């Protein structure tokens, strides 16, 4: 933002220190009467060998910002607090009117991301455990693309390996020539037969060999399983508003031809060892509880390949053949050590160099009201499609008393509210933490929920309809009341919120900002009459402009989370 550029210039002038404006450590302040706080004096003090308050004083004395900053204050050990000028604020807010990006710049240093998310298992119905990767991944996809980066999403389906021999044999035994209506039941039937019938188990193992050898009939049957599963997955993605398509599927099978090459390369580099018949890499620094080295098994003792080999081949493919700069894996926290070891081996092998970044975007679990992993009463995983359909049904009850809605519009609104509530509940908290799934909390009309934000947008749109006029770019903005000023300050913070969400892969940073903005609008709406007959025309125009811009910011923010905002509620 502009204040960062001014602070960077002051550091050059006053201290002969060169800092990029984005690294000036300026953040919105939570202290009443202060708009922004700069903490860079503390980080520079040790480097310069000077007390932090002395560094802060030099910064303030060299600061050329009288046109935008009304007050500066050095507080505590060396914080610099800023209060912005009202006229500068009003001009900046007015400039945002009609801007589809609401002041958010496009990065001048775009990168090329390979984003791995969702990744359900073929021949199994998507369950609540698949939700977090899918929802978080989609939000990051939208945020990164909006920021100006190129995003190559890929859905790493579990579509290869031993279970498929069992499933194909069960398919043949069942004489299925149509769709599989219940993937979970189909899988469970095959598993039970495999465990109870040795002849079936033998045929299943033989079928795996045929699959891996490229037997045409076996491959055709396998492809049917993949296609049938993809159809089920797409139904979930469509309901959730996820942007993954068939073109984004890169299953385990896609990387299978590369696995032997990976092992050969690692061996040629001298990185592999044979341990109990398995080909392993022992990346430095990874040890067990008793200090023993931990292996990453790239080829098993029976000649087969596991997840590690596939993940190494994946990184090799995206960096070498697709020339990506960043690898992101949206996968649950329990896989943290696995990815650390994979990244370490990729670095040893040269798949990751100093021009690449690889990161495990970890997340916690979805818990039930009992604080345990969310399951059905029978102890099974909760089917995701059923959960989403229930969300829509519950949302329909929440809005059914709204007379403003025509009957024909209620289904679409219920879907937007219900699906939005589920997604926002998943995104609103720190992704590393578990969260408890409760319908009452996520569908609440107040608090940090998507429903609260959607109602704020609907209220603003109602005001704009009643006003009977369209707010035009260039409308003058006045900030005569504290609530007007508070809202204006918040509206200008959208770029910082999106920057934080992108830089930290943290959608909850954007959620928190949107809630604060909606709350600021509530204070503005309650204290600053917009359409009252006593409101002067110029004040009315200004307040309509603030309301319209608030709606634009909230709608944009929700869209970057993959959530719709109905015109009416």
């Amino acid at each position: 933002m502009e204040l960062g550029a001014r602070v960077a210039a002051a550091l050059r002038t006053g201290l002969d220190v060169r800092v990029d404006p984005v690294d000036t450590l300026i953040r919105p302040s939570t202290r009443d009467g202060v708009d922004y706080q700069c903490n860079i004096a503390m980080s520079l003090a040790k480097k310069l060998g000077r007390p932090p308050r002395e560094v802060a004083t030099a910064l303030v004395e060299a600061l050329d910002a009288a046109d935008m900053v009304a007050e500066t204050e050095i507080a505590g050990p060396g914080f610099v607090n800023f209060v912005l000028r009202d006229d500068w604020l009003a001009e900046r807010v007015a400039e945002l009117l009609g801007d589809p990006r609401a002041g958010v710049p496009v990065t001048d240093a775009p990168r090329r991301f390979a984003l791995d998310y969702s990744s359900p298992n073929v021949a199994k119905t998507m369950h609540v455990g698949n939700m977090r990767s899918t929802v978080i991944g989609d939000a990051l996809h939208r945020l990164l693309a909006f920021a100006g980066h190129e995003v190559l999403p890929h859905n790493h389906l579990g579509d290869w390996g031993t279970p498929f021999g069992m499933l194909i044999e069960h398919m043949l035994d069942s004489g299925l020539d149509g769709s599989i209506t219940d993937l979970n039941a189909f899988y469970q039937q095959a598993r039970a037969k495999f465990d109870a019938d040795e002849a079936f188990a033998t045929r299943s193992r033989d079928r795996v060999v045929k699959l891996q050898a490229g037997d045409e009939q076996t491959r055709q049957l396998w492809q049917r399983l993949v296609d049938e599963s993809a159809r089920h997955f797409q139904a979930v993605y469509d309901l959730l508003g996820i942007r993954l398509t068939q073109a984004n599927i890169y299953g385990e099978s896609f990387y299978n031809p590369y696995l032997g090459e990976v092992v050969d390369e690692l061996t040629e580099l001298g990185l592999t060892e044979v341990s109990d018949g398995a080909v392993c890499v022992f990346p430095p620094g990874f040890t067990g509880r008793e200090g023993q080295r931990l292996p990453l098994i790239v080829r098993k003792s029976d000649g087969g390949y596991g997840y590690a080999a596939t993940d190494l081949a994946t990184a090799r493919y995206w960096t070498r053949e697709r020339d990506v700069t960043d690898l992101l894996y949206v996968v649950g926290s329990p896989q943290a050590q696995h990815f650390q070891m994979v990244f370490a081996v990729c670095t040893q092998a040269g798949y990751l160099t100093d021009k690449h970044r690889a990161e495990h975007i970890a997340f916690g679990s979805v818990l039930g009201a009992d604080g345990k992993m969310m399951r059905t009463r029978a102890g099974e995983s909760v089917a995701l499609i059923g959960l989403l359909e229930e969300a829509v049904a519950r949302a329909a009850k929440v809005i059914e008393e709204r007379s403003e809605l025509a009957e024909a519009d209620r289904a679409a609104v219920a879907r937007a509210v219900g699906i939005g509530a589920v997604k926002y509940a998943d995104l609103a908290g720190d992704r590393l933490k578990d969260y408890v799934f409760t319908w009452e909390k996520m569908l609440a009309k107040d608090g940090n929920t998507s429903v609260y934000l959607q109602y704020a947008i609907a209220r603003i749109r109602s005001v704009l309809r009643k006003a009977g006029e369209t707010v035009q770019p260039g409308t003058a903005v006045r900030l005569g009341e504290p609530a007007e000023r508070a809202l204006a300050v918040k509206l200008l913070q959208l770029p910082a919120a999106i920057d934080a969400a992108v830089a930290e892969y943290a959608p909850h940073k954007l959620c928190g900002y949107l809630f604060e903005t909606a709350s600021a609008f509530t204070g503005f709406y309650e204290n600053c009459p917009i359409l009252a007959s006593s409101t002067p025309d110029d004040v009315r125009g200004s307040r309509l402009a603030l309301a319209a811009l608030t709606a634009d910011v909230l709608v944009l923010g929700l869209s970057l989370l993959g959530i719709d905002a109905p015109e009416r509620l």
Side-chain angles (χ1 to χ4, degrees), residues 14-335:
L15 294 162
D16 195 25
V17 172
R18 296 190 176 274
V19 176
D20 191 280
V22 299
D23 298 323
T24 51
L25 304 182
I26 296 174
R27 301 289 183 269
S29 176
T30 57
R31 177 180 158 187
D32 289 342
V34 175
D35 297 325
Y36 286 92
Q37 183 179 81
C38 177
N39 301 343
I40 199 168
M42 270 79 74
S43 63
L44 288 178
K46 186 174 182 180
K47 177 181 177 181
L48 298 175
R50 299 170 66 176
R53 286 186 66 90
E54 186 177 310
V55 174
T57 299
L59 186 164
V60 170
E61 290 176 348
L63 184 66
D64 181 12
D67 60 321
M68 68 177 297
V69 176
E71 298 178 33
T72 58
E73 174 195 27
I74 300 172
F79 302 118
V80 180
N81 294 328
F82 300 98
V83 178
L84 302 177
R85 289 174 58 110
D86 288 356
D87 56 347
W88 184 90
L89 274 173
E91 289 175 7
R92 297 294 84 74
V93 169
E95 289 173 357
L96 299 183
L97 292 170
D99 178 0
R101 296 184 62 86
V104 180
V106 175
T107 181
D108 58 2
R111 297 179 67 85
R112 186 175 170 89
F113 285 83
L115 177 61
D116 177 340
Y117 68 100
S118 192
S119 304
N121 286 319
V122 165
K124 290 185 178 180
T125 301
M126 287 185 73
H127 55 84
V128 71
N130 300 125
M131 181 169 68
R132 298 216 71 188
S133 175
T134 304
V135 170
I136 294 170
D138 183 68
L140 294 179
H141 183 175
R142 293 167 185 269
L143 283 162
L144 288 165
F146 183 76
H149 301 290
E150 183 179 4
V151 184
L152 303 177
H154 55 108
N155 196 354
H156 191 112
L157 299 186
D159 70 344
W160 200 247
T162 303
F164 288 90
M166 172 186 80
L167 293 166
I168 291 169
E169 284 300 312
H170 182 50
M171 182 184 291
L172 288 168
D173 286 355
S174 303
L176 290 175
D177 56 6
S179 64
I180 302 170
T181 56
D182 189 333
L183 286 172
N184 278 359
F186 182 82
Y187 183 91
Q188 291 166 0
Q189 291 163 8
R191 181 82 247 183
K193 193 185 299 185
F194 183 90
D195 292 339
D197 185 339
E198 185 57 39
F200 176 83
T202 299
R203 284 191 286 121
S204 298
R205 296 186 188 99
D206 292 341
R207 184 64 65 176
V208 174
V209 175
K210 292 180 180 179
L211 175 63
Q212 294 175 341
D215 176 73
E216 184 174 351
Q217 181 201 28
T218 303
R219 281 296 184 103
Q220 289 176 350
L221 294 169
W222 167 82
Q223 190 63 55
R224 276 190 57 194
L225 282 170
V226 173
D227 292 345
E228 191 68 28
S229 298
R231 185 177 67 81
H232 284 270
F233 299 157
Q234 197 60 52
V236 175
Y237 295 150
D238 290 345
L239 186 54
L240 268 175
I242 303 300
R243 298 198 294 182
L244 289 171
T245 68
Q246 293 270 12
N248 304 131
I249 292 176
Y250 289 82
E252 293 169 345
S253 58
F254 175 84
Y255 303 102
N256 194 61
Y258 301 105
L259 302 184
E261 296 175 12
V262 168
V263 176
D264 291 343
E265 285 184 1
L266 296 176
T267 301
E268 289 172 8
L269 290 168
L271 298 175
T272 61
E273 299 178 30
V274 177
S275 177
D276 294 329
V279 178
C280 305
V281 179
F282 291 85
F286 293 92
T287 57
R289 291 181 179 178
E290 298 179 4
Q292 74 277 20
R293 296 183 305 159
L294 292 180
L296 195 69
I297 301 174
V298 292
R299 188 166 64 206
K300 296 182 286 187
S301 58
D302 63 3
Y305 300 95
Y307 296 124
T310 303
D311 286 337
L312 292 170
T314 300
R316 176 181 181 266
Y317 169 77
W318 287 99
T319 56
R320 284 191 179 179
E321 300 193 28
R322 302 297 292 273
D323 199 29
V324 302
T325 57
D326 296 73
L327 295 168
L328 302 183
Y329 299 83
V330 187
V331 181
S333 295
Q335 296 300 313

Side-chain angles (χ1 to χ4, degrees), residues 439-469:
W439 292 114
E440 294 75 14
K441 182 177 179 179
M442 68 177 55
L443 286 168
K445 297 178 185 178
D446 49 24
N448 191 12
T449 68
S450 65
V451 182
Y452 177 69
L453 300 178
Q454 289 168 328
Y455 267 102
I457 294 166
R459 172 186 285 176
I460 295 169
R461 287 171 168 168
S462 176
V463 170
L464 296 175
R465 285 194 300 271
K466 291 177 181 177
E469 60 187 87

Side-chain angles (χ1 to χ4, degrees), residues 475-491:
T475 298
V477 173
R478 301 164 58 95
L479 303 177
E481 296 293 332
E484 292 172 315
R485 189 184 189 285
L487 179 58
V489 169
K490 191 55 63 178
L491 291 172

Side-chain angles (χ1 to χ4, degrees), residues 90 93-94 97 459-461 463-464 467 469-472 475-485 487-488 491 520-521 523-551:
V93 169
L97 292 170
R459 172 186 285 176
I460 295 169
R461 287 171 168 168
V463 170
L464 296 175
E469 60 187 87
T470 301
V471 175
Q472 299 295 330
T475 298
V477 173
R478 301 164 58 95
L479 303 177
E481 296 293 332
E484 292 172 315
R485 189 184 189 285
L487 179 58
L491 291 172
F521 175 78
F524 161 78
Y525 184 80
E526 292 174 349
N527 292 283
C528 302
I530 300 174
L531 303 181
S533 58
S534 59
T535 304
D537 288 346
D538 59 340
V539 175
R540 179 178 186 273
S542 171
R543 290 177 179 175
L544 282 172
L546 285 170
L549 184 56
T550 301

